[in-house]
Amino acid sequence: MEKARLIRYGRFQLQDFVIERVIFVVVLSALEIAAPMMAARSLPPAQRIVAAGSPLGAQVAVLFTTLILMAVLFCSQEIISRQRKGGFYRFIFAKAVNPVAFYGQLFLVHLVATVLLVCLLASIFSIVAAPVAVGHIAFLTAIAFILFGGIGFLASAFMRFDSIVVIGAFGVSALGKMAAAQYGGFAPKLANLLIPTDHLFALRPLIFGDPVHASDVAWVAGYGAAAIALALAGVRYRQLAD
Amino acid sequence: MIEFRNVSKTYTSILGRSVKAVEDFSLSVAAGEVLGVAGPNGAGKSTLIAMLLGYIKPTAGAITVGGKPPRAYVEDHGVGYLSELINIPPRWRADGALERYAVLSGVPEARLAASVDASVEKLGLEEHRKKSIKALSKGNLQRVGMAQALAEPADVFILDEPTHGLDPVWTQRFRDIVTGLRRPERAVILASHNLDELERLCDRVAIIDHGMLQRVVKTRVSGDDSAATTYRVCVASGAEKVSAAFPGAKAQGNGEFELAGVDLADLNRTLATLMLDGVVVTSIAPAHSALEREFREAVAR
């Protein structure tokens, strides 16, 4: 019964996502994608090959790395804290609604919609400029969303300014891992507790449709999934109000 | 139906400063009852309501609704809730907001449009339904909040300052709506600063101050209470006969008298005699309501 209500409510969650997030991402992406797309179109068809090492490949790698990061960061933040800050949860959770299911579904809607959005942008690039591995890019977006979104979701369940915390945590993790690599011994093992930015970076070949190590996928997805599980536990056991 | 057992709530800041919002609060609300909650600003009313909805947890004690912890009850059954501050995303349209809340209340897809139309009509929002929430006046926003609460087919209703911002016409209509909420299986909690409203609508009123339950007042006047009540009697003609019949009456001018310490039965008998003698009585009411008196005593500092 409650499940059916929530599934029906999903269309409103999607509607909010499109209005509050997608428009902004599409505008920024259009600005970002326009120049590389035009540059690729100006090349002879034989040179329009997106592969590691190709002249266009380097451009496309930067383009899609930036695009995916921007889309994932913008679309995954404040999923819970926005409701809490605005007090919007009050009427919603006075209904027969389980907050864990509600926020879990909201996260899923954001994940799927972000992947579809990046797929759309990649498809447009493929049609207009040069063919890219849309499926692989979609997979990379999903994995990146699970990690960034998961950490953001966790922060969002416990604090208001989760966006700043997420960006800070990723920065600290990247620097921490670099520093730990220089020390050896126990330090790199300890650095494994930090957000797996190195494993995420290792997934970049997916942009060209190239294979990646399953262990990198497992690290990124596993870390993100653990953060999502902790966030949902926070929603269950922490107070709904501040 | 609803039970608070020795409930306390203490807020502690990051710096370790503690504020007791609710202290050792115990009270039961039966099914079929309309309970008012009154208290000065900061008395703890909103904290009590937030705990009753499971939005915050008590520091000590326990709350049960229908025999379950509040959050479990709300997730299973839903509650008709109107908050003091209406927090709806400002971008949403009024009828869109009602549609969303109706979906969460379990209104089937086939009846969704009709349900929203009925809510809009009941709360007089026809000309405002297409407006965004941010474009609504305080009173209209309050009516949207009320509409979403009333759409919930719940056995528990919690209405926090429901007439805040409403004009006199809608204040009166709201009172009729709350009267219509009475059901043998339903408990209604109404928090308000308006003692007159609470006295009209509620069976009992819990007066809280400093987070503690000061007293619970039954709003139905009984014969026992009448001797302590001062009545205000207004007459259109025959004022001199009233003065003669009630030597202690204080004339207030324009045919108005205050009668203190009069037994209600004696007052009725004497007035009946006066009316037979040609005195035209236009009104009789307590000069100060029992609730108002109790409230003043309870929160006196």
Side-chain angles (χ1 to χ4, degrees), chain A residues 8 16 90 94 236-237, chain B residues 55 57 75 87 91 109:
Chain A
R8 285 171 59 207
D16 289 340
R90 287 199 183 102
R236 177 77 282 171
Y237 297 109
Chain B
Y55 294 162
K57 292 172 183 171
E75 286 174 21
N87 297 111
R91 182 181 53 75
E109 205 63 35

Side-chain angles (χ1 to χ4, degrees), chain A residues 109-149:
Chain A
V109 166
H110 280 225
L111 164 63
V112 172
T114 306
V115 171
L116 290 176
L117 174 64
V118 174
C119 267
L120 179 71
L121 293 168
S123 301
I124 292 170
F125 189 90
S126 284
I127 295 164
V128 176
V132 291
V134 176
H136 286 77
I137 287 173
F139 181 68
L140 177 59
T141 308
I143 294 288
F145 194 101
I146 288 170
L147 182 63
F148 276 95

Side-chain angles (χ1 to χ4, degrees), chain A residues 144-219:
Chain A
F145 194 101
I146 288 170
L147 182 63
F148 276 95
I151 303 290
F153 199 46
L154 177 60
S156 189
F158 289 93
M159 60 191 74
R160 288 185 168 207
F161 303 103
D162 50 295
S163 308
I164 298 164
V165 171
V166 170
I167 293 166
F170 272 84
V172 167
S173 293
L175 291 173
K177 279 176 181 282
M178 277 197 288
Q182 291 176 355
Y183 287 96
F186 195 62
K189 284 197 174 79
L190 199 64
N192 279 336
L193 292 173
L194 296 170
I195 298 169
T197 48
D198 48 344
H199 294 286
L200 182 64
F201 190 73
L203 299 179
R204 276 183 79 195
L206 284 169
I207 292 173
F208 307 116
D210 293 340
V212 291
H213 290 294
S215 62
D216 289 323
V217 174
W219 259 109

Side-chain angles (χ1 to χ4, degrees), chain B residues 32 34 40 57 70-71 101 104 189 210 226:
Chain B
V34 179
K57 292 172 183 171
R71 199 60 236 155
Y101 294 129
L104 290 177
I189 291 184
H210 291 99
S226 62

